[in-house]
């Protein structure tokens, strides 16, 4: 899917927000500046967040919960992790029962983490637009086909 600009990228996040359930993981991959945080911001805005969501690059995990948003969300940025074992220390899997994980740089957690995640990959086109591809596992069947 071609995304012409930042509003189009945020719109993907807004559409995704309508399909989320507690326990879902959305894995966002792509180079720096590709739009991972824009998707997360669109998702959070559609869930009711007022104002702009900061990138969790330094905090690593930015939690959002009701009444701020209609569904608990942990916005996670694993860019600064050096070892997949560090993910255990974050307690993300413990939160999955009632929250959604939106994970930027999921590859830093290792290839086998979150096998049921919806995996969205962004790339930057020569003209500056974004290309979005995805891998939707069985857990997402019937929910993500945009």
């Amino acid at each position: 899917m071609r995304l012409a600009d930042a509003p189009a990228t945020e719109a993907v996040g807004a559409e995704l927000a309508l399909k989320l359930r507690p326990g879902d993981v959305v894995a966002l991959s792509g180079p720096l500046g590709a739009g991972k945080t824009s998707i997360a911001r669109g998702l959070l805005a559609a869930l009711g967040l007022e104002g702009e969501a900061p990138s969790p690059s330094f905090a690593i995990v930015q939690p959002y919960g009701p009444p701020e948003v209609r569904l608990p969300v942990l916005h996670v940025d694993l860019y600064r992790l050096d070892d997949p074992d560090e993910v255990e220390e974050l307690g993300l899997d413990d939160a999955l029962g009632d929250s959604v994980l939106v994970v930027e740089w999921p590859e830093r957690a290792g290839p086998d983490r979150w096998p049921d995640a919806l995996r969205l990959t962004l790339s930057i086109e020569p003209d500056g637009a974004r290309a979005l591809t995805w891998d939707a596992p069985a857990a997402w069947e019937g929910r993500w086909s945009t």
Side-chain angles (χ1 to χ4, degrees), residues 19-27 47 70-74 92-103 113-118 137 139-140 143:
K19 301 168 188 208
L20 291 174
R21 302 177 189 156
D24 282 342
V25 178
V26 177
L47 291 176
R70 70 170 173 79
L71 182 66
V73 175
L74 296 177
L92 300 175
D93 292 333
D94 295 337
L96 268 178
D98 64 355
S99 298
V100 171
L101 296 182
V102 177
V103 183
R113 190 164 305 264
W114 307 303
D116 291 328
L118 174 63
W140 283 86
R143 289 195 289 156

Side-chain angles (χ1 to χ4, degrees), residues 4-19:
D5 52 23
T9 306
E10 289 179 12
V12 169
E15 182 178 338
L16 181 56
L18 301 173
K19 301 168 188 208

